[in-house]
Short mmCIF file of all heavy atoms in Angstrom, two decimals:
data_model
loop_
_atom_site.label_atom_id
_atom_site.label_comp_id
_atom_site.label_asym_id
_atom_site.label_seq_id
_atom_site.Cartn_x
_atom_site.Cartn_y
_atom_site.Cartn_z
N ASN J 565 104.91 103.54 122.34
CA ASN J 565 104.02 104.41 121.45
C ASN J 565 102.58 104.16 121.77
O ASN J 565 101.72 105.16 121.80
CB ASN J 565 104.35 104.07 120.03
CG ASN J 565 105.60 104.97 119.49
OD1 ASN J 565 105.58 106.10 119.71
ND2 ASN J 565 106.54 104.20 118.93
N ASP J 569 99.94 106.94 122.91
CA ASP J 569 98.65 107.21 122.10
C ASP J 569 97.50 107.13 122.95
O ASP J 569 96.60 108.01 122.85
CB ASP J 569 98.61 106.20 121.06
CG ASP J 569 97.49 106.52 120.06
OD1 ASP J 569 97.43 107.68 119.57
OD2 ASP J 569 96.70 105.56 119.59
N VAL J 611 103.66 101.99 114.45
CA VAL J 611 103.35 103.13 115.29
C VAL J 611 101.84 103.41 115.11
O VAL J 611 101.19 102.95 114.22
CB VAL J 611 103.99 104.45 114.81
CG1 VAL J 611 105.57 104.45 114.97
CG2 VAL J 611 103.63 104.76 113.41
N PRO J 612 101.22 104.00 116.15
CA PRO J 612 99.81 104.23 116.18
C PRO J 612 99.36 105.01 114.98
O PRO J 612 100.16 105.77 114.40
CB PRO J 612 99.48 104.90 117.58
CG PRO J 612 100.68 104.65 118.37
CD PRO J 612 101.84 104.47 117.49
N LYS J 613 98.10 105.12 114.71
CA LYS J 613 97.56 105.89 113.63
C LYS J 613 97.80 107.34 113.85
O LYS J 613 97.96 108.16 112.90
CB LYS J 613 96.13 105.58 113.39
CG LYS J 613 95.79 104.19 112.73
CD LYS J 613 94.36 103.98 112.76
CE LYS J 613 93.59 104.86 111.85
NZ LYS J 613 92.18 104.56 111.64
N ASN J 614 97.89 107.69 115.14
CA ASN J 614 98.08 109.12 115.49
C ASN J 614 99.60 109.43 115.57
O ASN J 614 100.03 110.55 115.88
CB ASN J 614 97.59 109.46 116.87
CG ASN J 614 96.10 109.49 116.81
OD1 ASN J 614 95.45 110.22 116.03
ND2 ASN J 614 95.46 108.77 117.77
N GLY J 615 100.42 108.52 115.13
CA GLY J 615 101.82 108.79 114.83
C GLY J 615 102.71 108.43 115.99
O GLY J 615 102.38 107.90 117.03
N PHE J 616 104.04 108.72 115.80
CA PHE J 616 105.12 108.52 116.87
C PHE J 616 104.64 109.21 118.10
O PHE J 616 104.20 110.45 118.14
CB PHE J 616 106.40 109.05 116.27
CG PHE J 616 107.56 108.48 116.95
CD1 PHE J 616 107.93 107.17 116.89
CD2 PHE J 616 108.55 109.31 117.62
CE1 PHE J 616 109.00 106.56 117.43
CE2 PHE J 616 109.64 108.74 118.19
CZ PHE J 616 109.92 107.29 118.15
N ALA J 617 104.71 108.51 119.22
CA ALA J 617 104.26 109.04 120.55
C ALA J 617 102.87 109.41 120.60
O ALA J 617 102.42 110.08 121.56
CB ALA J 617 105.18 110.29 121.04
N GLY J 618 102.08 108.96 119.62
CA GLY J 618 100.67 109.29 119.66
C GLY J 618 100.38 110.76 119.25
O GLY J 618 99.29 111.21 119.37
N LEU J 619 101.39 111.51 118.64
CA LEU J 619 101.27 112.87 118.48
C LEU J 619 101.59 113.28 116.97
O LEU J 619 100.90 114.15 116.44
CB LEU J 619 102.32 113.65 119.25
CG LEU J 619 101.94 113.89 120.79
CD1 LEU J 619 103.03 114.60 121.50
CD2 LEU J 619 100.62 114.59 120.84
N THR J 620 102.56 112.67 116.33
CA THR J 620 103.11 113.30 115.10
C THR J 620 102.18 113.23 113.95
O THR J 620 102.39 113.91 112.95
CB THR J 620 104.42 112.57 114.71
OG1 THR J 620 104.18 111.20 114.53
CG2 THR J 620 105.52 112.77 115.78
N SER J 621 101.17 112.41 113.99
CA SER J 621 100.16 112.33 112.92
C SER J 621 98.70 112.64 113.51
O SER J 621 97.74 112.39 112.80
CB SER J 621 100.11 110.92 112.29
OG SER J 621 101.29 110.60 111.66
N ARG J 622 98.69 113.14 114.69
CA ARG J 622 97.43 113.35 115.31
C ARG J 622 96.77 114.75 114.73
O ARG J 622 97.40 115.77 114.60
CB ARG J 622 97.61 113.59 116.84
CG ARG J 622 96.14 113.63 117.61
CD ARG J 622 96.49 113.80 119.04
NE ARG J 622 96.80 112.45 119.57
CZ ARG J 622 96.03 111.56 120.07
NH1 ARG J 622 94.79 111.78 119.96
NH2 ARG J 622 96.48 110.47 120.58
N ALA J 672 108.41 110.72 110.47
CA ALA J 672 107.38 110.96 111.43
C ALA J 672 107.06 112.47 111.52
O ALA J 672 106.62 113.05 112.65
CB ALA J 672 107.68 110.48 112.81
#
Side-chain angles (χ1 to χ4, degrees):
N565 273 311
D569 189 45
V611 296
K613 290 173 66 175
N614 287 315
F616 201 62
L619 284 178
T620 59
S621 298
R622 185 180 289 272

